[in-house]
Amino acid sequence: MRSKVTKAVFPVAGMGTRFLPATKSVPKEIMTLVDRPLIQYAIDEARAAGITEFIFVTARGKNALEDYFDHAPDLERSLRKAGKDDLLEVLKSTNMDSGAIAYIRQHKAMGLGHAVWCARRLIGDEPFAVMLPDDVIAGDKPCLQQMVEAYQETGGAMVATMEVAPDRTSSYGVLDVESHNGAIVKAKGMVEKPAKGTAPSNLAVIGRYILTPNVLQNLNKIDRGAGGEVQLTDAIAMEIDQGRDVFGYKFEGHRYDCGSKAGYLQATVAFALDRPELQGEFQDYLHDILARRLAAQ
Ligand code: UTP
């Protein structure tokens, strides 16, 4: 039996420049899909996968995130007084048990690998998950739960992977595939943002990982890579060079890149259309606005 994965690291110290000016004062992870912040989707997914310890790697200007997971006694009291039990229930998912959540500062945005390394003392000597909240994954079974189940069979390090168009591989970490076994892919290499035409496959790595403490050791050793940042991909690729297993997991579900404007807007529309209370009116509106746009062209 392998160790259970109970800790997850949420690197949220990036600057979110693609959403400026909003992210000048609002952390990207607090931006909402309908009425829930991006971070709430990630936390719900982590809980479904059995995570009980939540480690946030934050930066200056991210206080709204800490407040979001705090209890709000005044608000709760007034909702209780007004008999708004449904809203009290909604708030429950934002509360964390004391000691379940920890915040670590990354003093300078030196890359995803560096952000994960900042959490090393809280991770200790056990496997852990890494979740990027700007990748929102909709599906019947939460993505991290699928991966945790697969990890129980494989061990090693595991990254979520999906097929992308060949002209998009240069935006991602990409797997060099040794073999396929259903949803599980054994990797013989991994490269971050390969130059156009050089990608070893079209299997891109997206923001869900299950990693071993050894990856933290590797992060100690590596220099800055692509884009001048300390790349998590490079530390995972080192595992392969050291003779350890690295797997890709082809998850079931739809991934929205909410770190980009187009992906964020697509997710907003899709999640709104899934809400029974919005569905009818919102769908009619979309029909209407598209029909008018097409007529005007
Ligand atoms: P991104 O590459 O999307 O960068 O980071 P970003 O700063 O969030 O956004 P843009 O590109 O400027 O618009 C991917 C994830 O890694 C985290 C980010 O917070 C995000 O969750 N990250 C990135 C860190 O925590 N620290 C870093 O130094 C870099």
Side-chain angles (χ1 to χ4, degrees):
M1 190 69 182
R2 299 186 195 284
S3 318
K4 276 183 82 175
V5 182
T6 59
K7 293 182 180 178
V9 178
F10 300 82
V12 291
M15 289 186 280
T17 52
R18 283 170 288 173
F19 278 95
L20 281 171
T23 43
K24 186 178 168 209
S25 66
V26 180
K28 177 168 66 173
E29 301 74 23
I30 287 290
M31 296 194 327
T32 58
L33 293 178
V34 188
D35 49 12
R36 306 167 76 231
L38 295 182
I39 192 68
Q40 183 71 57
Y41 291 92
I43 293 290
D44 289 351
E45 186 183 325
R47 281 179 168 144
I51 300 296
T52 51
E53 287 183 57
F54 306 83
I55 303 164
F56 282 71
V57 182
T58 69
R60 218 165 292 117
K62 299 274 182 170
N63 296 351
L65 263 174
E66 297 193 26
D67 291 343
Y68 179 78
F69 288 111
D70 217 341
H71 287 246
D74 292 345
L75 176 61
E76 285 165 24
R77 207 171 304 118
S78 68
L79 290 175
R80 201 166 297 115
K81 223 169 144 191
K84 298 198 166 155
D85 294 343
D86 50 338
L87 292 181
L88 277 169
E89 198 53 39
V90 167
L91 278 189
K92 252 192 200 159
S93 62
T94 70
N95 290 343
M96 288 280 186
D97 293 338
S98 297
I101 192 162
Y103 300 93
I104 289 275
R105 280 277 173 128
Q106 184 189 26
H107 292 110
K108 200 167 168 209
M110 288 168 64
L112 176 60
H114 181 259
V116 171
W117 178 81
C118 288
R120 66 200 178 281
R121 293 205 175 85
L122 290 175
I123 295 165
D125 194 24
E126 53 188 289
F128 60 99
V130 175
M131 301 182 77
L132 307 191
D134 37 14
D135 274 337
V136 176
I137 303 168
D140 291 337
K141 189 185 269 193
C143 178
L144 190 66
Q145 188 182 346
Q146 297 175 39
M147 290 174 69
V148 163
E149 287 171 10
Y151 168 81
Q152 284 302 325
E153 285 173 34
T154 61
M158 182 174 278
V159 300
T161 184
M162 64 179 220
E163 286 181 12
V164 298
D167 64 339
R168 299 284 303 128
T169 46
S170 56
S171 305
Y172 294 91
V174 177
L175 294 180
D176 192 358
V177 177
E178 183 178 307
S179 60
H180 290 263
N181 178 11
I184 298 169
V185 177
K186 189 154 193 280
K188 61 175 181 207
M190 242 172 119
V191 44
E192 183 63 31
K193 298 190 176 62
K196 282 209 163 38
T198 67
S201 76
N202 66 340
L203 281 178
V205 176
I206 62 117
R208 301 288 182 274
Y209 308 77
I210 297 175
L211 301 177
T212 57
N214 197 67
V215 174
L216 298 173
Q217 304 287 333
N218 292 345
L219 282 168
N220 269 329
K221 295 176 202 153
I222 61 173
D223 295 324
R224 293 181 189 218
E229 298 193 329
V230 178
Q231 296 292 349
L232 186 57
T233 308
D234 293 347
I236 302 171
M238 260 175 101
E239 293 282 285
I240 304 171
D241 302 338
Q242 292 159 344
R244 297 192 182 83
D245 288 341
V246 173
F247 300 96
Y249 185 80
K250 293 192 269 179
F251 60 96
E252 280 184 22
H254 188 95
R255 173 254 188 180
Y256 296 94
D257 175 9
C258 292
S260 79
K261 284 175 205 152
Y264 177 72
L265 291 171
Q266 287 161 15
T268 301
V269 171
F271 281 66
L273 287 173
D274 278 345
R275 287 290 188 88
E277 76 276 21
L278 295 172
Q279 235 164 37
E281 195 182 336
F282 190 54
Q283 195 164 306
D284 291 349
Y285 170 74
L286 290 178
H287 269 302
D288 197 40
I289 191 169
L290 278 178
R292 271 189 280 139
R293 291 266 158 153
L294 289 172
Q297 273 172 12

